[in-house]
């Protein structure tokens, strides 16, 4: 895979954190900009060595992951993780979140994108490349603001969006390190995100240089996602349809996971392994070699055609290793669903893990925990059609679900979802989102938006005790880190 990275000196990447005299800081930005002369210099700002979004704590909050040692969970050995897992509102997260790499990394990227957006037009280079780079900078800025507003601010509610406190929005490269950012409302932030997306769409390339850069399909998919979160379902449908059309030119298609199953299952049978060891997870412990085939021989890389944008979790290896809760695992038809077969170890590696938890164990599949996949477009289409609630629309929602599920499950073994009831159709969609998008950021973001929209209280069991999370819980909003509060005029949104 071809990458086009450059290293930018501290005058651009760390300006906000520097401590300088009044005489010194005034000329920092001009010096930084002077180092970016060619269009290629600016295009290098689009990528970084490790495009990470540390959000593994989201997985505990959304009930997707536990821990490999139950006693450590209960003892609050890692208090922020335990607080998320147990939905503990008594723990003061705001006082104990000193720094947040998610917060810092997103704003560092936004600083780079602002430098690109402000300066690429005057750089030395090809005009077409300038237009492409400007569009890609805008769409990536929008994506990072989308991450920030859905982590550190209340969920979007049409009734309160313009009075709900949001995040700092920097619309351009700051002029000095003493310039303070302005904390905007949730509604303002979403408007800015949509403005960036709409300004970028026409000039995004059909195919990007690699999967770490955005293309037109990603642009329309992100547009659809923003409309979905704003409950603008007709606009979401329209953007999804454009994303599917763009996918043809972009070379994007759903990953057919059954191809590898059809390749390896017959070979294993020919090698003398019993059919039940191949096809029934309950027998997988018969021979570790069989499980190794599914967990390492089945591969899907960064540049998989389904990936519209690839971004890391905390590291490039996330979410391996991570323990998945029994509540999520129970959503899978284990004999049929290849997402389970390829990614989940059939028995827990550590017997100290919570009962029923099993670890995410694939070493061959790059899971893309922080990017976007084409499958999201199908899920958004299914959700929007299910919400229409007419017989024709519900039928269409089932078609989109079936299209996805046929690529994920062994033919003849999985349940073909069918209903004429709008409530059941939406439940099918929500459960499929949990299966398809587990151990990405979507589980937590979905929890936020749907708890708020439907006024839902969620619950779970752990060692015989029931835990609940209300739709008004402050836990659905992560607090700004202490250092961010100290260095700005932020008003805290959580605790």
């Amino acid at each position: 895979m071809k990458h086009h990275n450059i290293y930018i000196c501290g005058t651009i990447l760390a300006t906000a954190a520097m401590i300088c005299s009044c005489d010194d800081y005034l000329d920092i930005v001009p010096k930084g900009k002077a180092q970016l002369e060619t269009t290629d210099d600016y295009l290098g700002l689009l990528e970084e060595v490790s495009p990470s979004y540390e959000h593994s704590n989201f997985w505990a909050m959304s009930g997707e992951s536990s821990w490999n040692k139950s006693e450590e969970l209960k003892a609050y050995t890692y208090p922020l993780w335990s607080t998320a897992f147990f939905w503990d509102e008594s723990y003061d997260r705001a006082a104990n979140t000193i720094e947040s790499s998610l917060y810092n990394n997103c704003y560092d990227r936004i600083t780079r994108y602002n430098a690109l957006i402000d300066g690429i037009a005057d750089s030395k280079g090809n005009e077409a490349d300038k237009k492409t780079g400007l569009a890609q900078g805008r769409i990536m800025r929008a994506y990072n603001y989308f991450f920030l507003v859905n982590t550190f601010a209340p969920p979007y509610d049409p009734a309160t969006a313009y009075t709900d406190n949001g995040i700092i929005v920097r619309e351009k490269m700051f002029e000095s390190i003493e310039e303070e950012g302005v904390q905007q409302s949730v509604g303002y932030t979403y408007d800015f995100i949509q403005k960036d997306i709409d300004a970028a769409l026409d000039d995004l390339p059909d195919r990007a240089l690699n999967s770490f850069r955005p293309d037109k399909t990603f642009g329309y998919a992100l547009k659809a996602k923003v409309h979905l979160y704003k409950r603008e379902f007709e606009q979401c449908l329209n953007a999804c349809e454009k994303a599917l059309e763009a996918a043809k030119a972009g070379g994007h298609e759903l990953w057919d996971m059954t191809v590898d199953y059809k390749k390896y299952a017959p070979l294993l049978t020919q090698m003398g392994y019993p059919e039940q060891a191949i096809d029934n997870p309950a027998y997988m412990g018969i021979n570790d070699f069989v499980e190794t085939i599914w967990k390492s021989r089945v591969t899907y890389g960064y540049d998989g055609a389904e990936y519209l944008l690839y971004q890391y979790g905390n590291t490039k290896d996330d979410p391996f290793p991570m323990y998945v809760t029994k509540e999520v695992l129970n959503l899978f038809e284990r004999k049929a669903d290849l997402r389970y077969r390829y990614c989940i170890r059939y028995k827990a590696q550590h017997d100290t893990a919570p009962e029923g938890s099993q670890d995410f164990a694939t070493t061959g599949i790059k899971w893309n925990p922080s990017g976007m996949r084409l499958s999201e477009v199908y899920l958004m289409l299914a959700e929007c059609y299910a919400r229409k609630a007419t017989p024709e629309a519900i039928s269409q929602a089932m078609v989109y679900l079936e299209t996805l599920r046929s690529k994920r499950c062994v033919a003849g073994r999985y349940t073909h979802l069918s209903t004429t009831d709008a409530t059941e159709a939406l439940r099918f969609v929500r459960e499929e989102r949990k299966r398809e998008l587990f151990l990405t950021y979507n589980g937590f973001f979905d929890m936020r938006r749907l708890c708020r929209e439907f006024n839902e209280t969620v619950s779970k069991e752990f060692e015989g005790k029931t835990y609940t999370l209300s739709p008004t819980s402050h836990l659905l909003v992560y607090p700004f880190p202490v250092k961010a509060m100290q260095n700005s005029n932020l008003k805290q949104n959580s605790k």
Side-chain angles (χ1 to χ4, degrees):
M1 180 184 303
K2 182 179 180 183
H3 288 271
H4 191 171
N5 298 85
I6 63 173
Y7 292 87
I8 309 302
C9 99
T11 53
I12 289 180
L13 295 184
T15 301
M18 291 178 65
I19 301 175
C20 305
S21 71
C22 292
D23 291 336
D24 290 337
Y25 81 76
L26 290 174
D27 61 1
I28 285 176
V29 172
K31 284 183 179 179
K33 287 186 177 181
Q35 294 176 16
L36 299 170
E37 297 180 349
T38 70
T39 302
D40 280 348
D41 289 341
Y42 281 97
L43 292 176
L45 294 173
L46 290 168
E47 291 183 54
E48 57 192 314
V49 174
S50 180
S52 60
Y53 296 73
E54 203 293 303
H55 60 259
S56 57
N57 195 267
F58 291 1
W59 303 335
M61 185 71 71
S62 60
E64 296 180 13
S65 67
S66 54
W67 198 250
N68 65 352
K69 296 180 181 179
S70 293
E71 294 307 312
E72 289 187 349
L73 264 180
K74 292 184 287 186
Y76 280 58
T77 303
Y78 305 98
L80 290 174
W81 188 277
S82 294
T83 297
F85 183 83
F86 292 115
W87 297 332
D88 183 356
E89 294 187 338
S90 67
Y91 186 82
D92 191 349
R93 298 181 305 169
N96 291 283
T97 304
I98 307 303
E99 287 193 280
S100 164
S101 62
L102 176 63
Y103 187 91
N104 292 340
N105 289 344
C106 284
Y107 276 112
D108 282 349
R109 280 187 284 264
I110 287 166
T111 297
R112 293 206 316 275
Y113 302 142
N114 280 344
L116 183 155
I117 292 164
D118 286 359
I120 195 170
D122 297 325
S123 65
K124 302 172 184 177
N126 181 279
E127 291 301 317
D129 289 343
K130 293 178 186 180
K131 291 176 66 175
T132 297
L134 178 59
Q136 291 179 314
R138 281 175 167 156
I139 208 76
M140 289 303 295
R141 180 170 69 178
Y143 192 58
N144 279 267
Y145 275 129
F146 182 78
F147 245 95
L148 288 166
V149 77
N150 279 286
T151 303
F152 300 103
Y156 188 94
D157 185 333
T160 61
Y162 291 92
T163 54
D164 285 337
N165 233 23
I167 60 173
I168 289 175
V169 178
R170 287 194 177 274
E171 302 185 22
K172 60 182 180 178
M173 190 68 184
F174 43 83
E175 294 301 322
S176 80
I177 63 170
E178 290 189 349
E179 180 183 328
E180 292 184 344
V182 178
Q183 185 174 11
Q184 304 288 358
S185 69
V186 171
Y188 182 99
T189 306
Y190 266 85
D191 287 347
F192 184 76
I193 289 168
Q194 287 187 297
K195 183 174 68 174
D196 256 354
I197 294 171
D198 290 339
L201 282 170
D202 287 346
D203 292 324
L204 288 171
D206 291 333
R207 290 177 185 256
L209 181 68
N210 58 56
S211 63
F212 292 87
R213 294 196 187 187
D215 63 8
K216 199 177 291 289
T217 311
F218 170 76
Y220 279 114
L222 179 58
K223 178 178 173 64
K225 194 163 190 170
V226 171
H227 285 306
L228 181 71
Y229 278 55
K230 292 184 70 179
R231 308 179 201 173
E232 297 170 347
F233 302 118
E234 285 299 325
Q235 295 97 316
C236 178
L237 279 174
N238 182 262
C240 282
E241 289 166 358
K242 290 182 177 179
L244 289 186
E245 185 61 34
K248 298 174 185 177
H252 295 294
E253 60 183 3
L254 291 174
W255 174 25
D256 189 349
M257 300 178 80
T258 70
V259 171
D260 284 298
Y261 178 81
K262 293 172 184 175
K263 174 182 177 181
Y264 289 114
L267 291 175
L268 287 168
T269 303
Q270 291 170 18
M271 292 170 65
Y273 292 98
E275 185 175 349
Q276 64 264 32
I278 298 169
D279 292 333
N280 190 336
Y283 295 93
M284 189 55 66
I286 290 174
N287 193 299
D288 289 338
F289 176 75
V290 177
E291 185 166 357
T292 299
I293 290 294
W294 303 122
K295 301 302 184 290
S296 63
R297 295 289 182 88
V298 176
T299 61
Y300 203 70
Y302 298 127
D303 55 355
E306 184 170 302
Y307 295 152
L308 310 183
L309 178 76
Y310 197 98
Q311 302 285 270
Y312 300 155
N314 187 36
T315 72
K316 65 181 178 62
D317 296 318
D318 273 2
F320 173 84
M322 183 60 63
Y323 270 75
V324 184
T325 61
K326 62 182 178 182
E327 289 81 7
V328 171
L329 297 177
N330 287 341
L331 292 170
F332 292 94
E333 296 175 86
R334 300 190 184 191
K335 283 188 174 184
D337 202 311
L338 297 173
R339 292 167 293 198
Y340 180 91
R341 182 183 303 279
Y342 295 164
C343 296
I344 303 298
R345 192 182 300 277
Y346 294 103
K347 56 182 179 180
Q349 192 171 19
H350 298 92
D351 58 12
T352 55
E355 183 180 0
S357 294
Q358 295 163 229
D359 46 325
F360 186 96
T362 178
T363 58
I365 298 172
K366 300 301 181 184
W367 195 241
N368 198 11
S370 305
M372 285 191 74
R373 314 171 185 174
L374 188 62
S375 59
E376 279 198 61
V377 176
Y378 285 83
L379 290 166
M380 288 189 286
L381 284 164
E383 179 174 339
C384 290
Y385 275 111
R387 287 172 177 275
K388 283 177 175 286
T390 66
E392 296 79 12
I394 293 171
S395 177
Q396 188 61 50
M398 296 302 103
V399 168
Y400 283 115
L401 286 184
E402 172 62 20
T403 300
L404 176 59
R405 287 168 61 78
S406 69
K407 305 290 187 183
R408 301 296 190 247
C409 300
V410 179
R413 294 187 184 168
Y414 69 97
T415 302
H416 295 264
L417 302 178
S418 178
T419 186
T420 58
D421 180 75
T423 301
E424 186 174 41
L426 189 56
R427 177 173 66 82
F428 285 162
V429 173
R430 292 179 63 175
E431 288 177 352
E432 193 62 33
R433 287 187 67 87
K434 289 180 180 180
R435 284 187 286 266
E436 175 65 18
L437 301 173
F438 78 103
L439 297 190
T440 69
Y441 64 90
N442 290 280
F444 176 61
F445 284 11
D446 276 353
M447 173 187 273
R448 285 166 41 92
R449 70 180 177 96
L450 295 169
C451 281
R452 173 64 67 92
E453 180 182 357
F454 297 118
N455 196 33
E456 290 180 344
T457 295
V458 294
S459 63
K460 65 180 177 183
E461 302 286 330
F462 181 78
E463 295 188 349
K465 182 177 178 180
T466 300
Y467 296 84
T468 60
L469 182 71
S470 79
T472 58
S473 174
H474 66 264
L475 294 174
L476 291 170
V477 180
Y478 274 78
F480 295 121
V482 170
K483 287 192 175 180
M485 296 292 294
Q486 292 172 341
N487 295 317
S488 66
N489 287 323
L490 280 168
K491 179 180 179 181
Q492 185 61 273
N493 289 333
S494 188
K495 57 184 179 179

